[in-house]
Amino acid sequence: MESRPTIVQHTAATRPAAAPEIPVLVGKSVAGEALVTGWGDVCGATQWVTVRWPHDHPFYAEGGRYSPLLFTESARQALSVLSHAVHGIPLGYRFGLERIRTSVNSDELRTTCRPAEIDLRITHSSVTRRRLGSAHLVSQVEARRAGRHLGTAELHYTSHPPALYDRLRGRYADAGEAFARAIPLTLPAPATLVGRLHRRDVVISPTGTPGHWQLRADTGHRVLFDHPHDHVPGMVLLEAVVQATRAALPHPAVPVAFDSTFLRYVEFDLPCLLTVAPEPPDAEGRPRTRVDATQAGRPVFTTTLTTEPRRP
């Protein structure tokens, strides 16, 4: 990897007075959930973004390890920044994920007594402008921690101007109303069964049928829902995939690769059901699991998750 260029550090002293703060750029209302610390150009369609992972993150760090989804969230936030700062997509446009493929080096997910500084190298291989102001973007992400390989990702996503997005969403466009219509919380699966320490962090509920779970979207969770959303965010869905997979496996496992396709928005006012089934192992012999989700009888997203046994 070529040498790292100077990163633009956006602090209160260096940012123009009219420039939006980083939490606004990354779509977070809680400042502590904004991971991006700076960014800069490499060349053409490639940029660097730096992120910082708290060593004691209240959701994505447990048991001496970071969740691999913190890498996914870092990529999501980095793309949000670059979409506005580099690709000229106005603030207020609404982003939607279509597909995410990620792979992580589990050895680099260990926590220490200090925050982890992560370097992301991001290339947008495709930026397609569409009629009425929408855009479709494809990006590749390479991540390093202290110079060591951490992971890779490919993300396909769209942006829509607010007026067009509201037309697409119809009666679901208002986030406050969507939150208010959320179905009552169901009982969580046992935290230890899904690899969690705390009941509050469980996002699936048992249905009484083995391998079948119901999504549990607690809109009061301050990390997963730090502000109202008009639909269930993709990060919540991916966490549900991880938990449903862990419940299906006979041993503790670390997720190391995701291949997820998002087909429809997942709404708050209808049950979302997850079905877990084994897949053939990958080329390295690592177990793979497929999780399919439906809502009102229609498929809404699907993920193939690769895991490896958790080592001490």
Side-chain angles (χ1 to χ4, degrees):
M1 179 174 289
E2 60 192 72
S3 62
R4 171 179 164 184
T6 301
I7 298 296
V8 181
Q9 296 293 341
H10 294 278
T11 66
T14 61
R15 292 176 62 76
E21 295 298 326
I22 287 178
V24 175
L25 289 174
V26 303
K28 289 293 182 181
S29 63
V30 176
E33 292 304 318
L35 305 173
V36 174
T37 58
W39 65 91
D41 282 321
V42 176
C43 61
T46 301
Q47 285 79 39
W48 277 92
V49 177
T50 53
V51 298
R52 179 176 293 122
W53 293 357
H55 72 280
D56 56 352
H57 192 281
F59 185 79
Y60 289 119
E62 280 190 341
R65 287 180 177 270
Y66 291 111
S67 164
L69 290 181
L70 193 55
F71 169 47
T72 308
E73 173 63 10
S74 298
R76 186 202 67 78
Q77 291 192 19
L79 295 180
S80 182
V81 169
L82 297 182
S83 296
H84 298 308
V86 175
H87 297 289
I89 294 174
L91 282 172
Y93 274 43
R94 307 297 296 274
F95 290 89
L97 294 170
E98 293 185 347
R99 188 177 184 188
I100 301 176
R101 290 189 292 177
T102 64
S103 177
V104 298
N105 174 6
S106 62
D107 290 336
E108 295 302 323
L109 295 178
R110 299 180 187 277
T111 59
T112 67
C113 60
R114 301 171 62 99
E117 306 291 339
I118 310 298
D119 293 324
L120 306 177
R121 178 189 174 101
I122 299 176
T123 300
H124 276 83
S125 57
S126 174
V127 180
T128 305
R129 312 285 177 171
R130 294 174 173 172
R131 293 180 61 242
L132 305 178
S134 295
H136 181 264
L137 304 94
V138 180
S139 65
Q140 286 77 37
V141 182
E142 300 176 19
R144 289 185 172 269
R145 179 181 182 182
R148 301 181 298 272
H149 174 72
L150 169 65
T152 60
E154 179 177 290
L155 297 93
H156 299 239
Y157 61 107
T158 57
S159 73
H160 296 299
L164 177 58
Y165 183 83
D166 287 351
R167 287 201 298 272
L168 290 172
R169 295 293 288 136
R171 71 186 185 93
Y172 289 109
D174 185 274
E177 292 182 4
F179 258 34
R181 290 198 300 263
I183 62 175
L185 273 180
T186 49
L187 290 174
T192 54
L193 178 66
V194 301
R196 278 288 170 181
L197 296 179
H198 304 291
R199 173 189 174 106
R200 67 174 181 265
D201 294 331
V202 176
V203 298
I204 60 173
S205 296
T207 64
T209 302
H212 292 72
W213 303 90
Q214 181 172 326
L215 180 69
R216 184 176 184 271
D218 180 0
T219 59
H221 196 289
R222 292 297 290 157
V223 174
L224 297 177
F225 299 99
D226 78 323
H227 63 278
H229 295 259
D230 65 283
H231 63 276
V232 181
M235 292 302 299
V236 179
L237 305 180
L238 293 177
E239 178 64 28
V241 166
V242 171
Q243 294 187 16
T245 298
R246 282 177 165 157
L249 295 175
H251 50 74
V254 177
V256 292
F258 295 78
D259 187 346
S260 303
T261 301
F262 301 91
L263 305 169
R264 292 180 175 86
Y265 296 105
V266 177
E267 314 296 356
F268 287 103
D269 61 351
L270 295 168
C272 178
L273 302 177
L274 311 176
T275 303
V276 183
E279 287 276 289
D282 71 357
E284 299 177 34
R286 299 178 299 187
R288 297 194 307 160
T289 304
R290 181 183 174 104
V291 179
D292 293 304
T294 60
Q295 193 168 54
R298 300 191 303 172
V300 287
F301 73 92
T302 183
T303 297
T304 298
L305 178 61
T306 304
T307 60
E308 59 186 32
R310 178 167 179 159
R311 298 188 295 273

